[in-house]
Amino acid sequence: MATPAKVSKPEGKNNHDNADEQADKEQQEAIEQIDEVQNEIDRLNEQASEEILKVEQKYNKLRQPYYSKRSDLIAKIPNFWVTAFVNHPQISALLNEEDEEALQFLTKVEVQEFEDIKSGYKINFYFDSNQYFENDVISKEFHLNETGEPSSKSTPIKWKSGKDLTKKSSTPSKGGRKRNMEEQESFFCWFTDHGDAGADELGEVIKDDIWPNPLQYYL
């Protein structure tokens, strides 16, 4: 009687399993290597942020004498700041007629970035004597604490009797600019609005758009 032929095992399946295991191993090794490389990239990005901050601090100090000189020259031009505000599309939309009248007494705007820059900034508004309020300077500050949580605070406005613009709703100013003709809040309400300091568009517009070159909006 003939010896039965040996049945060969299906090597194809084993080879396929081995190939899958090898592919999984290679993928896992690649992921670990990518993670290591990413950590190096993150370390360099952090280092770059520190270096950029130092450069910003350096040039922020170097710009200060020029800002002071510019402010002295602007003071020679009547109604410079109110004109710049009225000519700016975003700020113009926030001004009513009484706001514009009050802002005619605005003689100087100043943006002060805190020393480490990342922690916030302060905007100072300087006024001549006027019939609306007692303040010579009204300021609003924006802060970021160590956890990155934003907050803001401002100078209390000492309104003269019957002149508190934040308690009035005025008709938007005329002059051809498209305005919502419904009654609107005063521009000065911004000083007491601390509801969402991290998304204060007006503060960002003044700091990043108007303050670097107010002349472009005056003209």
Side-chain angles (χ1 to χ4, degrees):
M1 183 175 178
T3 303
K6 292 182 179 180
V7 179
S8 60
K9 295 181 180 179
E11 295 182 1
K13 185 175 185 301
N14 291 337
N15 291 339
H16 181 71
D17 290 344
N18 291 338
D20 285 346
E21 290 178 5
Q22 183 64 25
D24 289 344
K25 183 179 179 181
E26 291 176 355
Q27 288 181 20
Q28 185 60 36
E29 289 177 352
I31 289 172
E32 292 173 359
Q33 291 171 1
I34 291 171
D35 187 52
E36 291 176 4
V37 172
Q38 189 61 50
N39 287 337
E40 289 300 313
I41 293 172
D42 292 342
R43 184 182 62 79
L44 286 173
N45 288 340
E46 186 176 343
Q47 183 178 343
S49 296
E50 293 173 358
E51 295 295 326
I52 290 169
L53 180 60
K54 291 177 183 177
V55 172
E56 288 179 347
Q57 289 171 330
K58 173 185 175 181
Y59 282 93
N60 196 36
K61 290 180 180 178
L62 291 174
R63 283 191 288 262
Q64 296 311 309
Y66 295 96
Y67 286 146
S68 296
K69 183 177 181 180
R70 187 181 70 184
S71 291
D72 292 341
L73 294 170
I74 286 175
K76 298 179 180 181
I77 303 175
N79 297 326
F80 178 93
W81 285 106
V82 67
T83 302
F85 283 2
V86 167
N87 286 340
H88 191 284
Q90 288 172 270
I91 295 182
S92 176
L94 302 175
L95 302 177
N96 60 47
E97 288 184 0
E98 286 189 305
D99 290 334
E100 290 188 21
E101 290 176 10
L103 289 173
Q104 288 178 12
F105 297 93
L106 179 62
T107 59
K108 179 181 176 181
V109 174
E110 178 183 58
V111 174
Q112 296 177 322
E113 293 192 87
F114 300 146
E115 188 169 352
D116 67 356
I117 298 177
K118 292 189 297 184
S119 67
Y121 61 96
K122 180 179 182 180
I123 306 177
N124 300 315
F125 298 78
Y126 295 81
F127 290 88
D128 275 340
S129 177
N130 61 81
Q131 70 267 33
Y132 293 96
F133 42 77
E134 302 288 349
N135 307 66
D136 296 324
V137 184
I138 302 174
S139 303
K140 188 167 184 178
E141 299 181 27
F142 299 87
H143 296 266
L144 281 177
N145 63 20
E146 294 178 356
T147 63
E149 184 179 352
S151 64
S152 64
K153 63 180 182 179
S154 58
T155 307
I157 301 176
K158 301 175 183 177
W159 296 100
K160 294 183 179 179
S161 179
K163 294 294 185 179
D164 188 343
L165 299 182
T166 65
K167 293 182 178 178
K168 300 178 181 180
S169 294
S170 301
T171 303
S173 68
K174 301 174 184 178
R177 295 185 299 278
K178 292 183 178 179
R179 303 283 183 89
N180 180 0
M181 292 310 294
E182 297 178 0
E183 293 185 343
Q184 68 181 74
E185 283 189 340
S186 168
F187 167 84
F188 289 90
C189 290
W190 172 69
F191 289 98
T192 57
D193 181 6
H194 305 294
D196 191 1
D200 194 304
E201 292 184 11
L202 181 53
E204 294 294 327
V205 164
I206 294 173
K207 179 175 75 76
D208 296 330
D209 194 10
I210 290 185
W211 174 247
N213 185 7
L215 185 62
Q216 65 178 325
Y217 292 106
Y218 175 80
L219 297 175

